[in-house]
């Protein structure tokens, strides 16, 4: 067998055929974070009592009275308060449509255009997380984000049945998923490089944020007590630097994701960044396997406990990692991994489920590490 050439590896990286199921999941989670932003439901730092639902959220798009267009865009009509209120309602409507997956390419393009107009109309409007949203929606407009888990897919299948065809989405190149992956990596790499300053190494930047009132909320003192400003600065640099590379490799992906979720939940618990943390966490899904439900979980159909576990997996497997199947009577829980690895049974399978479900991932990941680490240690000593 001949070794792959650089050209064949490059072609495979960008253009190998792949499912677009994961793109559908990314679309749902990312667009839903925009819905949350536009209804004011965000910010762990506010506590549960601070969350309030508004349709739309009238603080979603701040706009000053002074207009300073981005150079070259002074021909754009200035925005007034009435335009802002209309824009908030429009963005909320489009975000809901994108979450449902109706007209995904057109809706994504419209969201990108509205966001770009807001940013270019005045330099005072610039917000980092809005800029990130704009570029993400540009990528969504270029990609087949509505092939799966969307009203577009439902309509396409209905129309195909009327014509006597299957309506199955075509196999696409993995190019679209790669664009999102590279965007995430470049974002974290450039952010990390920009923070390689003495202010971050010494923790002075975090201290200044605290003294100026940027750090807030009921958990601020507790979190700063656990991780003082210098340690917080180093942790931020480590986590963001790791996120620039670690999500690419299967062996480091879950630990990297754990670091990213911890970092962004910590930010959201102490700072008003609206839904930026939720957006970045949602984008980690772009590094998942292109096809959903790759791992198969089988259970004893006669066991009440097994059926309850299968129901919980069906309910909380938001990233669609598992397919479920009734096994043989009297069998233990089994997981057949997507990568063709060894089958996990009994306690091993339960621990694996806990480490993969989003709702249990933060604790379950470390339970899984300790569980299988202890097993390897016992095997080595035997």
């Amino acid at each position: 067998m001949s070794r792959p050439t650089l050209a064949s590896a490059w072609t495979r990286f960008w253009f190998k055929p792949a499912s677009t199921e994961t793109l559908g999941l990314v679309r749902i989670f990312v667009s839903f974070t925009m819905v949350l932003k536009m209804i004011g439901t965000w910010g762990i730092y506010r506590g549960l009592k601070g969350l309030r639902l508004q349709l739309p959220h009238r603080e979603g798009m701040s706009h000053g009275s002074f207009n300073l267009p981005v150079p070259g865009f002074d021909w754009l009509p200035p925005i007034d308060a009435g335009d802002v209120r209309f824009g908030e309602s429009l963005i909320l409507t489009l975000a809901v449509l994108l979450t449902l997956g109706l007209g995904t390419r057109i809706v994504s393009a419209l969201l990108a255009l509205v966001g770009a107009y807001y940013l270019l109309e005045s330099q005072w409007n610039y917000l980092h997380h809005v800029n990130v949203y704009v570029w993400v929606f540009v990528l969504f407009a270029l990609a087949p984000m509505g092939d799966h888990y969307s009203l577009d897919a439902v309509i396409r299948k209905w129309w195909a049945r009327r014509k006597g065809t299957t309506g199955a989405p075509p196999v696409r190149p993995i190019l679209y998923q790669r664009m999102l992956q590279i965007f995430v990596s470049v974002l974290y790499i450039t952010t990390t490089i920009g923070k390689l300053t003495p202010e971050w190494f010494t923790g002075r930047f975090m201290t200044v944020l605290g003294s100026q009132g940027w750090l807030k909320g009921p958990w601020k003192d507790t979190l700063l007590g656990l991780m003082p400003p210098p340690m917080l600065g180093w942790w931020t640099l480590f986590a963001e630097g790791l996120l620039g590379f670690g999500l690419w490799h299967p062996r480091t992906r879950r630990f990297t994701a754990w670091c990213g979720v911890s970092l962004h939940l910590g930010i959201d618990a102490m700072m008003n960044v609206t839904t930026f943390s939720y957006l970045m966490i949602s984008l980690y899904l772009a590094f998942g396997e292109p096809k959903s439900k790759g791992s198969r979980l089988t259970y004893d159909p006669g066991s009440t406990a097994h059926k309850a576990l299968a129901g919980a997996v069906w309910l909380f497997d938001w990233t669609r990692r598992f397919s479920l199947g009734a096994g043989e009577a009297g069998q233990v829980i089994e997981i057949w991994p997507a990568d063709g690895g060894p089958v996990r049974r009994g306690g091993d399978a339960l621990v694996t489920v806990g480490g993969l479900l989003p709702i249990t991932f933060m604790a379950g990941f470390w339970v899984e590490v300790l569980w299988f680490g202890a097993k390897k240690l016992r095997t080595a000593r035997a």
Side-chain angles (χ1 to χ4, degrees), residues 1 53 70 78 80 90 161 163 205 220 258 278 325 357:
M1 178 183 250
L53 176 64
V70 172
D80 60 22
L90 177 61
R161 281 197 296 268
K163 297 173 65 177
F205 185 83
K220 178 193 70 173
W258 188 92
Y278 314 152
L357 294 184

Side-chain angles (χ1 to χ4, degrees), residues 89-161:
S89 300
L90 177 61
I91 291 173
L92 175 59
T93 302
L94 292 173
V96 170
L97 291 176
L98 189 57
T99 304
L100 297 175
L102 183 62
T104 51
R105 287 184 186 268
I106 296 173
V107 171
S108 298
L110 289 173
L111 279 167
L113 285 172
V114 172
Y117 188 102
Y118 178 71
L119 293 176
L120 296 172
E121 181 265 347
S122 179
Q123 297 178 56
W124 294 104
N125 294 341
Y126 180 81
L127 291 170
H128 175 65
H129 67 275
V130 174
N131 186 43
V132 173
Y133 268 117
V134 168
W135 284 108
V136 168
F137 290 140
V138 167
L139 295 177
F140 279 16
L142 297 173
M145 308 301 290
D147 277 359
H148 297 274
Y149 310 125
S150 67
L151 291 178
D152 286 350
V154 173
I155 294 171
R156 183 177 59 249
K157 289 179 181 178
W158 170 80
W159 184 252
R161 281 197 296 268

Side-chain angles (χ1 to χ4, degrees), residues 44-256:
I44 300 174
Y45 75 93
R46 294 191 293 185
L48 294 178
K49 294 182 179 179
L51 297 179
R52 59 193 185 279
L53 176 64
Q54 300 180 34
L55 296 171
H57 178 44
R58 291 304 182 193
E59 298 173 10
M61 295 172 61
S62 60
H63 190 273
S65 58
F66 183 73
N67 177 263
L68 182 63
V70 172
F73 292 90
D74 51 354
W75 51 271
L76 290 174
I79 298 173
D80 60 22
D83 295 328
V84 170
R85 288 192 293 271
F86 173 76
E88 289 170 334
S89 300
L90 177 61
I91 291 173
L92 175 59
T93 302
L94 292 173
V96 170
L97 291 176
L98 189 57
T99 304
L100 297 175
L102 183 62
T104 51
R105 287 184 186 268
I106 296 173
V107 171
S108 298
L110 289 173
L111 279 167
L113 285 172
V114 172
Y117 188 102
Y118 178 71
L119 293 176
L120 296 172
E121 181 265 347
S122 179
Q123 297 178 56
W124 294 104
N125 294 341
Y126 180 81
L127 291 170
H128 175 65
H129 67 275
V130 174
N131 186 43
V132 173
Y133 268 117
V134 168
W135 284 108
V136 168
F137 290 140
V138 167
L139 295 177
F140 279 16
L142 297 173
M145 308 301 290
D147 277 359
H148 297 274
Y149 310 125
S150 67
L151 291 178
D152 286 350
V154 173
I155 294 171
R156 183 177 59 249
K157 289 179 181 178
W158 170 80
W159 184 252
R161 281 197 296 268
R162 290 194 60 182
K163 297 173 65 177
T165 58
T166 63
V171 176
R172 313 273 192 179
I174 201 171
L175 167 71
Y176 307 104
Q177 193 168 340
R178 291 285 187 249
M179 290 192 301
L180 285 168
Q181 291 170 340
I182 290 175
F183 174 78
V184 173
S185 291
V186 169
L187 186 61
Y188 277 115
I189 290 170
T190 54
T191 300
T192 303
I193 292 174
K195 290 176 179 174
L196 296 177
T197 63
E199 286 74 15
W200 278 94
F201 291 134
T202 61
R204 183 172 178 271
F205 185 83
M206 302 306 301
T207 302
V208 171
L209 286 179
S211 64
Q212 293 184 352
W214 286 95
L215 304 182
K216 58 187 73 177
W219 297 285
K220 178 193 70 173
D221 294 336
T222 300
L223 292 174
L224 289 177
L226 293 172
M227 190 171 286
M231 188 183 299
L232 195 58
W234 278 97
W235 164 245
T236 302
L237 290 170
F238 169 77
E240 292 187 347
L242 180 64
L243 284 159
F245 302 95
L247 290 169
W248 286 92
H249 198 284
R251 288 185 176 275
T252 58
R253 183 173 298 144
R254 291 174 63 209
F255 173 68
T256 304

